[in-house]
Each structure stands twice: as structure tokens, then as C-alpha cells.
PDB file of all heavy atoms in Angstrom:
ATOM      1  N   ASP A   1       3.279   8.664  11.359  1.00  0.00           N
ATOM      2  CA  ASP A   1       3.037   8.673   9.920  1.00  0.00           C
ATOM      3  C   ASP A   1       2.156   7.505   9.471  1.00  0.00           C
ATOM      4  O   ASP A   1       2.083   7.206   8.271  1.00  0.00           O
ATOM      5  CB  ASP A   1       4.369   8.617   9.163  1.00  0.00           C
ATOM      6  CG  ASP A   1       5.203   9.873   9.350  1.00  0.00           C
ATOM      7  OD1 ASP A   1       4.605  10.964   9.421  1.00  0.00           O
ATOM      8  OD2 ASP A   1       6.436   9.759   9.434  1.00  0.00           O
ATOM      9  N   ALA A   2       1.471   6.864  10.416  1.00  0.00           N
ATOM     10  CA  ALA A   2       0.638   5.705  10.066  1.00  0.00           C
ATOM     11  C   ALA A   2      -0.454   6.095   9.073  1.00  0.00           C
ATOM     12  O   ALA A   2      -0.717   5.363   8.114  1.00  0.00           O
ATOM     13  CB  ALA A   2       0.017   5.101  11.324  1.00  0.00           C
ATOM     14  N   ALA A   3      -1.074   7.259   9.276  1.00  0.00           N
ATOM     15  CA  ALA A   3      -2.141   7.700   8.379  1.00  0.00           C
ATOM     16  C   ALA A   3      -1.602   7.954   6.976  1.00  0.00           C
ATOM     17  O   ALA A   3      -2.218   7.572   5.971  1.00  0.00           O
ATOM     18  CB  ALA A   3      -2.815   8.946   8.932  1.00  0.00           C
ATOM     19  N   THR A   4      -0.440   8.597   6.887  1.00  0.00           N
ATOM     20  CA  THR A   4       0.188   8.857   5.594  1.00  0.00           C
ATOM     21  C   THR A   4       0.525   7.551   4.885  1.00  0.00           C
ATOM     22  O   THR A   4       0.316   7.398   3.671  1.00  0.00           O
ATOM     23  CB  THR A   4       1.463   9.685   5.781  1.00  0.00           C
ATOM     24  OG1 THR A   4       1.123  10.935   6.389  1.00  0.00           O
ATOM     25  CG2 THR A   4       2.175   9.938   4.464  1.00  0.00           C
ATOM     26  N   PHE A   5       1.052   6.608   5.635  1.00  0.00           N
ATOM     27  CA  PHE A   5       1.417   5.302   5.077  1.00  0.00           C
ATOM     28  C   PHE A   5       0.197   4.604   4.477  1.00  0.00           C
ATOM     29  O   PHE A   5       0.242   4.115   3.336  1.00  0.00           O
ATOM     30  CB  PHE A   5       2.051   4.447   6.177  1.00  0.00           C
ATOM     31  CG  PHE A   5       2.454   3.074   5.743  1.00  0.00           C
ATOM     32  CD1 PHE A   5       3.585   2.873   4.968  1.00  0.00           C
ATOM     33  CD2 PHE A   5       1.705   1.962   6.108  1.00  0.00           C
ATOM     34  CE1 PHE A   5       3.967   1.591   4.566  1.00  0.00           C
ATOM     35  CE2 PHE A   5       2.069   0.684   5.720  1.00  0.00           C
ATOM     36  CZ  PHE A   5       3.206   0.501   4.944  1.00  0.00           C
ATOM     37  N   LEU A   6      -0.909   4.575   5.215  1.00  0.00           N
ATOM     38  CA  LEU A   6      -2.108   3.899   4.722  1.00  0.00           C
ATOM     39  C   LEU A   6      -2.713   4.631   3.525  1.00  0.00           C
ATOM     40  O   LEU A   6      -3.262   3.992   2.619  1.00  0.00           O
ATOM     41  CB  LEU A   6      -3.134   3.754   5.842  1.00  0.00           C
ATOM     42  CG  LEU A   6      -2.739   2.804   6.977  1.00  0.00           C
ATOM     43  CD1 LEU A   6      -3.838   2.743   8.031  1.00  0.00           C
ATOM     44  CD2 LEU A   6      -2.437   1.401   6.450  1.00  0.00           C
ATOM     45  N   ASP A   7      -2.610   5.954   3.509  1.00  0.00           N
ATOM     46  CA  ASP A   7      -3.083   6.709   2.340  1.00  0.00           C
ATOM     47  C   ASP A   7      -2.334   6.292   1.076  1.00  0.00           C
ATOM     48  O   ASP A   7      -2.905   6.278  -0.020  1.00  0.00           O
ATOM     49  CB  ASP A   7      -2.897   8.207   2.556  1.00  0.00           C
ATOM     50  CG  ASP A   7      -4.046   8.840   3.323  1.00  0.00           C
ATOM     51  OD1 ASP A   7      -5.058   8.155   3.550  1.00  0.00           O
ATOM     52  OD2 ASP A   7      -3.931  10.025   3.697  1.00  0.00           O
ATOM     53  N   ARG A   8      -1.072   5.954   1.219  1.00  0.00           N
ATOM     54  CA  ARG A   8      -0.278   5.558   0.062  1.00  0.00           C
ATOM     55  C   ARG A   8      -0.499   4.093  -0.324  1.00  0.00           C
ATOM     56  O   ARG A   8      -0.279   3.716  -1.472  1.00  0.00           O
ATOM     57  CB  ARG A   8       1.209   5.793   0.348  1.00  0.00           C
ATOM     58  CG  ARG A   8       1.575   7.247   0.559  1.00  0.00           C
ATOM     59  CD  ARG A   8       3.069   7.393   0.856  1.00  0.00           C
ATOM     60  NE  ARG A   8       3.427   8.774   1.172  1.00  0.00           N
ATOM     61  CZ  ARG A   8       4.671   9.168   1.458  1.00  0.00           C
ATOM     62  NH1 ARG A   8       5.667   8.266   1.464  1.00  0.00           N
ATOM     63  NH2 ARG A   8       4.934  10.427   1.735  1.00  0.00           N
ATOM     64  N   ILE A   9      -0.917   3.279   0.635  1.00  0.00           N
ATOM     65  CA  ILE A   9      -1.123   1.853   0.392  1.00  0.00           C
ATOM     66  C   ILE A   9      -2.501   1.590  -0.217  1.00  0.00           C
ATOM     67  O   ILE A   9      -2.635   0.793  -1.161  1.00  0.00           O
ATOM     68  CB  ILE A   9      -0.954   1.059   1.699  1.00  0.00           C
ATOM     69  CG1 ILE A   9       0.518   1.018   2.121  1.00  0.00           C
ATOM     70  CG2 ILE A   9      -1.531  -0.351   1.561  1.00  0.00           C
ATOM     71  CD1 ILE A   9       1.421   0.190   1.207  1.00  0.00           C
ATOM     72  N   TYR A  10      -3.535   2.241   0.319  1.00  0.00           N
ATOM     73  CA  TYR A  10      -4.903   2.007  -0.136  1.00  0.00           C
ATOM     74  C   TYR A  10      -5.291   3.009  -1.223  1.00  0.00           C
ATOM     75  O   TYR A  10      -4.763   4.118  -1.274  1.00  0.00           O
ATOM     76  CB  TYR A  10      -5.888   2.149   1.024  1.00  0.00           C
ATOM     77  CG  TYR A  10      -5.882   0.999   2.011  1.00  0.00           C
ATOM     78  CD1 TYR A  10      -5.185   1.094   3.214  1.00  0.00           C
ATOM     79  CD2 TYR A  10      -6.610  -0.161   1.761  1.00  0.00           C
ATOM     80  CE1 TYR A  10      -5.195   0.050   4.131  1.00  0.00           C
ATOM     81  CE2 TYR A  10      -6.631  -1.208   2.673  1.00  0.00           C
ATOM     82  CZ  TYR A  10      -5.923  -1.101   3.855  1.00  0.00           C
ATOM     83  OH  TYR A  10      -5.942  -2.126   4.753  1.00  0.00           O
ATOM     84  N   ILE A  11      -6.255   2.621  -2.064  1.00  0.00           N
ATOM     85  CA  ILE A  11      -6.712   3.537  -3.103  1.00  0.00           C
ATOM     86  C   ILE A  11      -7.581   4.649  -2.526  1.00  0.00           C
ATOM     87  O   ILE A  11      -7.720   5.717  -3.141  1.00  0.00           O
ATOM     88  CB  ILE A  11      -7.483   2.794  -4.216  1.00  0.00           C
ATOM     89  CG1 ILE A  11      -8.809   2.216  -3.703  1.00  0.00           C
ATOM     90  CG2 ILE A  11      -6.630   1.689  -4.818  1.00  0.00           C
ATOM     91  CD1 ILE A  11      -9.677   1.594  -4.807  1.00  0.00           C
ATOM     92  N   ASN A  12      -8.170   4.421  -1.366  1.00  0.00           N
ATOM     93  CA  ASN A  12      -8.979   5.448  -0.724  1.00  0.00           C
ATOM     94  C   ASN A  12      -8.231   6.019   0.481  1.00  0.00           C
ATOM     95  O   ASN A  12      -7.194   5.503   0.889  1.00  0.00           O
ATOM     96  CB  ASN A  12     -10.362   4.917  -0.333  1.00  0.00           C
ATOM     97  CG  ASN A  12     -10.334   3.563   0.345  1.00  0.00           C
ATOM     98  OD1 ASN A  12      -9.454   2.745   0.123  1.00  0.00           O
ATOM     99  ND2 ASN A  12     -11.314   3.321   1.195  1.00  0.00           N
ATOM    100  N   ARG A  13      -8.760   7.095   1.027  1.00  0.00           N
ATOM    101  CA  ARG A  13      -8.045   7.867   2.045  1.00  0.00           C
ATOM    102  C   ARG A  13      -8.399   7.390   3.450  1.00  0.00           C
ATOM    103  O   ARG A  13      -9.572   7.178   3.772  1.00  0.00           O
ATOM    104  CB  ARG A  13      -8.378   9.355   1.895  1.00  0.00           C
ATOM    105  CG  ARG A  13      -7.461  10.278   2.674  1.00  0.00           C
ATOM    106  CD  ARG A  13      -7.847  11.727   2.454  1.00  0.00           C
ATOM    107  NE  ARG A  13      -7.585  12.196   1.113  1.00  0.00           N
ATOM    108  CZ  ARG A  13      -6.399  12.621   0.675  1.00  0.00           C
ATOM    109  NH1 ARG A  13      -5.357  12.609   1.485  1.00  0.00           N
ATOM    110  NH2 ARG A  13      -6.262  13.067  -0.556  1.00  0.00           N
ATOM    111  N   PHE A  14      -7.369   7.253   4.295  1.00  0.00           N
ATOM    112  CA  PHE A  14      -7.578   6.856   5.694  1.00  0.00           C
ATOM    113  C   PHE A  14      -7.097   7.902   6.697  1.00  0.00           C
ATOM    114  O   PHE A  14      -7.357   7.785   7.879  1.00  0.00           O
ATOM    115  CB  PHE A  14      -6.905   5.503   5.962  1.00  0.00           C
ATOM    116  CG  PHE A  14      -7.702   4.353   5.426  1.00  0.00           C
ATOM    117  CD1 PHE A  14      -7.501   3.903   4.128  1.00  0.00           C
ATOM    118  CD2 PHE A  14      -8.687   3.750   6.185  1.00  0.00           C
ATOM    119  CE1 PHE A  14      -8.244   2.864   3.612  1.00  0.00           C
ATOM    120  CE2 PHE A  14      -9.445   2.713   5.673  1.00  0.00           C
ATOM    121  CZ  PHE A  14      -9.234   2.267   4.381  1.00  0.00           C
ATOM    122  N   SER A  15      -6.419   8.920   6.214  1.00  0.00           N
ATOM    123  CA  SER A  15      -5.988   9.981   7.124  1.00  0.00           C
ATOM    124  C   SER A  15      -7.181  10.791   7.628  1.00  0.00           C
ATOM    125  O   SER A  15      -7.105  11.438   8.677  1.00  0.00           O
ATOM    126  CB  SER A  15      -4.987  10.906   6.421  1.00  0.00           C
ATOM    127  OG  SER A  15      -5.542  11.440   5.229  1.00  0.00           O
ATOM    128  N   THR A  16      -8.293  10.778   6.891  1.00  0.00           N
ATOM    129  CA  THR A  16      -9.495  11.516   7.302  1.00  0.00           C
ATOM    130  C   THR A  16     -10.431  10.675   8.164  1.00  0.00           C
ATOM    131  O   THR A  16     -11.465  11.173   8.613  1.00  0.00           O
ATOM    132  CB  THR A  16     -10.264  11.984   6.059  1.00  0.00           C
ATOM    133  OG1 THR A  16     -10.598  10.840   5.255  1.00  0.00           O
ATOM    134  CG2 THR A  16      -9.428  12.952   5.228  1.00  0.00           C
ATOM    135  N   LEU A  17     -10.078   9.421   8.397  1.00  0.00           N
ATOM    136  CA  LEU A  17     -10.930   8.542   9.190  1.00  0.00           C
ATOM    137  C   LEU A  17     -10.899   8.973  10.652  1.00  0.00           C
ATOM    138  O   LEU A  17      -9.832   9.053  11.265  1.00  0.00           O
ATOM    139  CB  LEU A  17     -10.441   7.099   9.062  1.00  0.00           C
ATOM    140  CG  LEU A  17     -11.247   6.011   9.773  1.00  0.00           C
ATOM    141  CD1 LEU A  17     -12.640   5.883   9.160  1.00  0.00           C
ATOM    142  CD2 LEU A  17     -10.513   4.672   9.711  1.00  0.00           C
ATOM    143  N   PRO A  18     -12.042   9.284  11.260  1.00  0.00           N
ATOM    144  CA  PRO A  18     -12.043   9.688  12.670  1.00  0.00           C
ATOM    145  C   PRO A  18     -11.624   8.537  13.594  1.00  0.00           C
ATOM    146  O   PRO A  18     -11.831   7.362  13.270  1.00  0.00           O
ATOM    147  CB  PRO A  18     -13.500  10.082  12.931  1.00  0.00           C
ATOM    148  CG  PRO A  18     -14.118  10.275  11.583  1.00  0.00           C
ATOM    149  CD  PRO A  18     -13.400   9.335  10.676  1.00  0.00           C
ATOM    150  N   VAL A  19     -11.045   8.861  14.727  1.00  0.00           N
ATOM    151  CA  VAL A  19     -10.775   7.858  15.753  1.00  0.00           C
ATOM    152  C   VAL A  19     -12.110   7.254  16.187  1.00  0.00           C
ATOM    153  O   VAL A  19     -13.101   7.953  16.386  1.00  0.00           O
ATOM    154  CB  VAL A  19     -10.043   8.481  16.954  1.00  0.00           C
ATOM    155  CG1 VAL A  19      -9.900   7.475  18.092  1.00  0.00           C
ATOM    156  CG2 VAL A  19      -8.679   9.014  16.529  1.00  0.00           C
ATOM    157  N   GLY A  20     -12.145   5.947  16.301  1.00  0.00           N
ATOM    158  CA  GLY A  20     -13.378   5.268  16.678  1.00  0.00           C
ATOM    159  C   GLY A  20     -14.244   4.857  15.505  1.00  0.00           C
ATOM    160  O   GLY A  20     -15.393   4.469  15.682  1.00  0.00           O
ATOM    161  N   LYS A  21     -13.675   4.917  14.289  1.00  0.00           N
ATOM    162  CA  LYS A  21     -14.417   4.509  13.100  1.00  0.00           C
ATOM    163  C   LYS A  21     -13.569   3.551  12.262  1.00  0.00           C
ATOM    164  O   LYS A  21     -12.336   3.560  12.328  1.00  0.00           O
ATOM    165  CB  LYS A  21     -14.806   5.718  12.247  1.00  0.00           C
ATOM    166  CG  LYS A  21     -15.751   6.685  12.946  1.00  0.00           C
ATOM    167  CD  LYS A  21     -17.164   6.107  13.097  1.00  0.00           C
ATOM    168  CE  LYS A  21     -17.905   6.120  11.777  1.00  0.00           C
ATOM    169  NZ  LYS A  21     -19.321   5.694  11.934  1.00  0.00           N
ATOM    170  N   ALA A  22     -14.239   2.746  11.456  1.00  0.00           N
ATOM    171  CA  ALA A  22     -13.587   1.828  10.526  1.00  0.00           C
ATOM    172  C   ALA A  22     -14.021   2.180   9.112  1.00  0.00           C
ATOM    173  O   ALA A  22     -15.060   2.820   8.901  1.00  0.00           O
ATOM    174  CB  ALA A  22     -13.945   0.380  10.857  1.00  0.00           C
ATOM    175  N   ARG A  23     -13.229   1.752   8.138  1.00  0.00           N
ATOM    176  CA  ARG A  23     -13.542   2.040   6.732  1.00  0.00           C
ATOM    177  C   ARG A  23     -13.062   0.882   5.873  1.00  0.00           C
ATOM    178  O   ARG A  23     -11.995   0.314   6.118  1.00  0.00           O
ATOM    179  CB  ARG A  23     -12.881   3.348   6.304  1.00  0.00           C
ATOM    180  CG  ARG A  23     -13.145   3.776   4.855  1.00  0.00           C
ATOM    181  CD  ARG A  23     -12.549   5.158   4.600  1.00  0.00           C
ATOM    182  NE  ARG A  23     -13.269   6.188   5.340  1.00  0.00           N
ATOM    183  CZ  ARG A  23     -12.814   7.431   5.532  1.00  0.00           C
ATOM    184  NH1 ARG A  23     -11.633   7.782   5.056  1.00  0.00           N
ATOM    185  NH2 ARG A  23     -13.528   8.299   6.218  1.00  0.00           N
ATOM    186  N   TYR A  24     -13.864   0.538   4.877  1.00  0.00           N
ATOM    187  CA  TYR A  24     -13.482  -0.486   3.907  1.00  0.00           C
ATOM    188  C   TYR A  24     -12.439   0.090   2.962  1.00  0.00           C
ATOM    189  O   TYR A  24     -12.512   1.259   2.565  1.00  0.00           O
ATOM    190  CB  TYR A  24     -14.714  -0.933   3.127  1.00  0.00           C
ATOM    191  CG  TYR A  24     -14.434  -1.928   2.014  1.00  0.00           C
ATOM    192  CD1 TYR A  24     -14.182  -3.266   2.297  1.00  0.00           C
ATOM    193  CD2 TYR A  24     -14.433  -1.528   0.684  1.00  0.00           C
ATOM    194  CE1 TYR A  24     -13.940  -4.182   1.278  1.00  0.00           C
ATOM    195  CE2 TYR A  24     -14.194  -2.430  -0.342  1.00  0.00           C
ATOM    196  CZ  TYR A  24     -13.949  -3.758  -0.036  1.00  0.00           C
ATOM    197  OH  TYR A  24     -13.696  -4.650  -1.046  1.00  0.00           O
ATOM    198  N   GLY A  25     -11.436  -0.724   2.603  1.00  0.00           N
ATOM    199  CA  GLY A  25     -10.389  -0.247   1.726  1.00  0.00           C
ATOM    200  C   GLY A  25      -9.922  -1.304   0.752  1.00  0.00           C
ATOM    201  O   GLY A  25     -10.091  -2.512   0.980  1.00  0.00           O
ATOM    202  N   VAL A  26      -9.316  -0.844  -0.347  1.00  0.00           N
ATOM    203  CA  VAL A  26      -8.766  -1.727  -1.377  1.00  0.00           C
ATOM    204  C   VAL A  26      -7.331  -1.323  -1.623  1.00  0.00           C
ATOM    205  O   VAL A  26      -7.023  -0.125  -1.742  1.00  0.00           O
ATOM    206  CB  VAL A  26      -9.579  -1.615  -2.687  1.00  0.00           C
ATOM    207  CG1 VAL A  26      -8.916  -2.409  -3.802  1.00  0.00           C
ATOM    208  CG2 VAL A  26     -11.008  -2.084  -2.470  1.00  0.00           C
ATOM    209  N   MET A  27      -6.431  -2.304  -1.690  1.00  0.00           N
ATOM    210  CA  MET A  27      -5.029  -2.021  -2.012  1.00  0.00           C
ATOM    211  C   MET A  27      -4.661  -2.732  -3.314  1.00  0.00           C
ATOM    212  O   MET A  27      -5.174  -3.807  -3.619  1.00  0.00           O
ATOM    213  CB  MET A  27      -4.094  -2.428  -0.870  1.00  0.00           C
ATOM    214  CG  MET A  27      -4.108  -3.885  -0.493  1.00  0.00           C
ATOM    215  SD  MET A  27      -2.945  -4.272   0.863  1.00  0.00           S
ATOM    216  CE  MET A  27      -3.763  -3.479   2.259  1.00  0.00           C
ATOM    217  N   LEU A  28      -3.784  -2.092  -4.092  1.00  0.00           N
ATOM    218  CA  LEU A  28      -3.367  -2.615  -5.384  1.00  0.00           C
ATOM    219  C   LEU A  28      -1.928  -3.094  -5.345  1.00  0.00           C
ATOM    220  O   LEU A  28      -1.126  -2.643  -4.522  1.00  0.00           O
ATOM    221  CB  LEU A  28      -3.476  -1.532  -6.466  1.00  0.00           C
ATOM    222  CG  LEU A  28      -4.786  -0.752  -6.589  1.00  0.00           C
ATOM    223  CD1 LEU A  28      -4.691   0.245  -7.739  1.00  0.00           C
ATOM    224  CD2 LEU A  28      -5.972  -1.677  -6.766  1.00  0.00           C
ATOM    225  N   ARG A  29      -1.601  -3.991  -6.262  1.00  0.00           N
ATOM    226  CA  ARG A  29      -0.205  -4.297  -6.527  1.00  0.00           C
ATOM    227  C   ARG A  29       0.380  -3.142  -7.333  1.00  0.00           C
ATOM    228  O   ARG A  29      -0.347  -2.267  -7.815  1.00  0.00           O
ATOM    229  CB  ARG A  29      -0.088  -5.594  -7.330  1.00  0.00           C
ATOM    230  CG  ARG A  29      -0.680  -6.804  -6.659  1.00  0.00           C
ATOM    231  CD  ARG A  29      -0.343  -8.085  -7.424  1.00  0.00           C
ATOM    232  NE  ARG A  29      -0.564  -7.974  -8.853  1.00  0.00           N
ATOM    233  CZ  ARG A  29      -1.270  -8.843  -9.575  1.00  0.00           C
ATOM    234  NH1 ARG A  29      -1.837  -9.874  -8.976  1.00  0.00           N
ATOM    235  NH2 ARG A  29      -1.413  -8.692 -10.882  1.00  0.00           N
ATOM    236  N   GLU A  30       1.675  -3.164  -7.557  1.00  0.00           N
ATOM    237  CA  GLU A  30       2.309  -2.100  -8.325  1.00  0.00           C
ATOM    238  C   GLU A  30       1.838  -2.071  -9.773  1.00  0.00           C
ATOM    239  O   GLU A  30       1.897  -1.023 -10.430  1.00  0.00           O
ATOM    240  CB  GLU A  30       3.834  -2.256  -8.279  1.00  0.00           C
ATOM    241  CG  GLU A  30       4.424  -1.964  -6.903  1.00  0.00           C
ATOM    242  CD  GLU A  30       5.926  -2.160  -6.874  1.00  0.00           C
ATOM    243  OE1 GLU A  30       6.360  -3.308  -6.693  1.00  0.00           O
ATOM    244  OE2 GLU A  30       6.653  -1.166  -7.053  1.00  0.00           O
ATOM    245  N   ASP A  31       1.343  -3.200 -10.296  1.00  0.00           N
ATOM    246  CA  ASP A  31       0.875  -3.239 -11.681  1.00  0.00           C
ATOM    247  C   ASP A  31      -0.563  -2.761 -11.834  1.00  0.00           C
ATOM    248  O   ASP A  31      -1.121  -2.801 -12.936  1.00  0.00           O
ATOM    249  CB  ASP A  31       1.037  -4.635 -12.278  1.00  0.00           C
ATOM    250  CG  ASP A  31       0.232  -5.705 -11.536  1.00  0.00           C
ATOM    251  OD1 ASP A  31      -0.511  -5.366 -10.592  1.00  0.00           O
ATOM    252  OD2 ASP A  31       0.349  -6.893 -11.897  1.00  0.00           O
ATOM    253  N   GLY A  32      -1.192  -2.323 -10.751  1.00  0.00           N
ATOM    254  CA  GLY A  32      -2.526  -1.762 -10.815  1.00  0.00           C
ATOM    255  C   GLY A  32      -3.654  -2.726 -10.536  1.00  0.00           C
ATOM    256  O   GLY A  32      -4.814  -2.309 -10.418  1.00  0.00           O
ATOM    257  N   PHE A  33      -3.348  -4.010 -10.421  1.00  0.00           N
ATOM    258  CA  PHE A  33      -4.388  -4.992 -10.125  1.00  0.00           C
ATOM    259  C   PHE A  33      -4.609  -5.092  -8.623  1.00  0.00           C
ATOM    260  O   PHE A  33      -3.703  -4.830  -7.830  1.00  0.00           O
ATOM    261  CB  PHE A  33      -4.007  -6.356 -10.704  1.00  0.00           C
ATOM    262  CG  PHE A  33      -4.069  -6.412 -12.204  1.00  0.00           C
ATOM    263  CD1 PHE A  33      -2.984  -6.062 -12.979  1.00  0.00           C
ATOM    264  CD2 PHE A  33      -5.239  -6.811 -12.841  1.00  0.00           C
ATOM    265  CE1 PHE A  33      -3.036  -6.112 -14.371  1.00  0.00           C
ATOM    266  CE2 PHE A  33      -5.311  -6.868 -14.230  1.00  0.00           C
ATOM    267  CZ  PHE A  33      -4.210  -6.511 -14.995  1.00  0.00           C
ATOM    268  N   VAL A  34      -5.824  -5.487  -8.243  1.00  0.00           N
ATOM    269  CA  VAL A  34      -6.175  -5.560  -6.827  1.00  0.00           C
ATOM    270  C   VAL A  34      -5.349  -6.635  -6.136  1.00  0.00           C
ATOM    271  O   VAL A  34      -5.277  -7.781  -6.601  1.00  0.00           O
ATOM    272  CB  VAL A  34      -7.678  -5.842  -6.652  1.00  0.00           C
ATOM    273  CG1 VAL A  34      -8.007  -6.058  -5.169  1.00  0.00           C
ATOM    274  CG2 VAL A  34      -8.512  -4.699  -7.203  1.00  0.00           C
ATOM    275  N   LEU A  35      -4.736  -6.272  -5.028  1.00  0.00           N
ATOM    276  CA  LEU A  35      -4.016  -7.227  -4.184  1.00  0.00           C
ATOM    277  C   LEU A  35      -4.946  -7.813  -3.139  1.00  0.00           C
ATOM    278  O   LEU A  35      -5.016  -9.021  -2.952  1.00  0.00           O
ATOM    279  CB  LEU A  35      -2.820  -6.551  -3.512  1.00  0.00           C
ATOM    280  CG  LEU A  35      -2.109  -7.350  -2.416  1.00  0.00           C
ATOM    281  CD1 LEU A  35      -1.493  -8.615  -3.003  1.00  0.00           C
ATOM    282  CD2 LEU A  35      -1.035  -6.500  -1.731  1.00  0.00           C
ATOM    283  N   ASP A  36      -5.675  -6.950  -2.437  1.00  0.00           N
ATOM    284  CA  ASP A  36      -6.513  -7.421  -1.335  1.00  0.00           C
ATOM    285  C   ASP A  36      -7.498  -6.333  -0.946  1.00  0.00           C
ATOM    286  O   ASP A  36      -7.354  -5.163  -1.332  1.00  0.00           O
ATOM    287  CB  ASP A  36      -5.645  -7.800  -0.128  1.00  0.00           C
ATOM    288  CG  ASP A  36      -6.352  -8.762   0.825  1.00  0.00           C
ATOM    289  OD1 ASP A  36      -6.873  -9.783   0.346  1.00  0.00           O
ATOM    290  OD2 ASP A  36      -6.389  -8.482   2.030  1.00  0.00           O
ATOM    291  N   ASP A  37      -8.488  -6.725  -0.170  1.00  0.00           N
ATOM    292  CA  ASP A  37      -9.419  -5.758   0.405  1.00  0.00           C
ATOM    293  C   ASP A  37      -9.594  -6.069   1.881  1.00  0.00           C
ATOM    294  O   ASP A  37      -9.122  -7.097   2.372  1.00  0.00           O
ATOM    295  CB  ASP A  37     -10.766  -5.769  -0.324  1.00  0.00           C
ATOM    296  CG  ASP A  37     -11.585  -7.030  -0.028  1.00  0.00           C
ATOM    297  OD1 ASP A  37     -10.994  -8.055   0.386  1.00  0.00           O
ATOM    298  OD2 ASP A  37     -12.810  -6.993  -0.212  1.00  0.00           O
TER     299      ASP A  37
END
């Protein structure tokens, strides 16, 4: 369930990321503000 977990953590989708690829992502705090990238 790693892909599902990351889909819920990041604002963008990682379950569609092919094996052997990387993607930039942004995660928010619960209040909607950016936590980290």
C-alpha cells in the first residue's frame, strides 16, 4: 500500500509513477499549508 499511502500524503499522485522514475512532490499540513517538498 506504499503507493496509496503516498497518494494520500502528497498533493500530487505517485501511484502512477513508473518504476525507475522520480517525481517532485509537495505535502501539506492538516491546515492546508505546505509542510515540505
